[in-house]
Amino acid sequence: MKKTPKIEVCSYCSGFDVNELKNKVKAKIGCIGKCSKKNPELNGKVYGFLNGEFTVCDTKEEFFEKIDKLDSFVSDSNKSSLVDAFLEHLEKWHDEHEKLRELCLACQLTEELKWGQPCYMLNDKNIVIIGGFKN
């Protein structure tokens, strides 16, 4: 199986028309947990996760140049960089989310961010979604 670069961008927040990536590379398009509304320093920037690393550029051309230079991505973990970013900015229930994450990953579940929440899957089927309540 050929390994390809791992590219994750948000169609709403990443700062450019992500459909332009479809002709260039395979990219996961969806919530990346870095909304420009919550991170005003990202306004006017172009950004996304490139091989699991959050990357911010001033222009689309600069971002695409970084994509061109990416090596293949091989992950040795079921962890998601999107969930890392989600937890990084989580204020309420942070410790509880981390503990539940550890339990899910210990069960060999694969982690993704779905519907803006950490989701744990087995054989591409949703098993657990973690979310916090008000109190």
Side-chain angles (χ1 to χ4, degrees):
M1 184 170 107
K2 182 181 175 195
K3 298 289 181 187
T4 58
K6 184 176 180 183
I7 301 163
E8 299 166 293
V9 295
C10 176
S11 58
Y12 299 106
C13 299
S14 288
F16 68 103
D17 182 2
V18 297
N19 289 317
E20 294 178 47
L21 285 176
K22 290 181 181 176
N23 298 330
K24 191 169 184 57
V25 294
K26 183 177 180 184
K28 180 178 177 187
I29 298 173
C31 178
I32 61 171
K34 294 278 192 175
C35 294
S36 56
K37 289 179 184 175
K38 293 180 182 177
N39 301 283
E41 69 278 7
L42 297 174
N43 283 329
K45 302 288 185 180
V46 176
Y47 57 93
F49 283 91
L50 304 181
N51 280 354
E53 183 178 326
F54 187 64
T55 304
V56 180
C57 297
D58 290 323
T59 66
K60 173 182 66 174
E61 291 75 22
E62 181 185 351
F63 191 73
F64 279 27
E65 283 176 20
K66 290 189 181 221
I67 289 172
D68 289 338
K69 294 177 183 174
L70 285 177
D71 292 325
S72 297
F73 182 77
V74 181
S75 175
D76 60 353
S77 168
N78 287 340
K79 282 188 173 184
S80 165
S81 57
L82 299 177
V83 175
D84 287 338
F86 171 84
L87 292 174
E88 180 182 321
H89 292 95
L90 189 65
E91 294 176 15
K92 196 168 192 176
W93 306 115
H94 182 270
D95 293 342
E96 292 80 1
H97 272 77
E98 288 285 0
K99 270 295 191 208
L100 290 168
R101 180 187 202 192
E102 285 177 33
L103 289 170
C104 290
L105 292 172
C107 295
Q108 302 301 308
L109 298 177
T110 302
E111 178 179 74
E112 277 192 28
L113 194 68
K114 290 187 174 184
W115 307 286
Q117 301 295 321
C119 179
Y120 299 86
M121 302 173 301
L122 182 63
N123 299 326
D124 292 325
K125 302 222 187 279
N126 299 339
I127 304 296
V128 175
I129 296 175
I130 300 173
F133 293 95
K134 290 182 181 180
N135 297 317

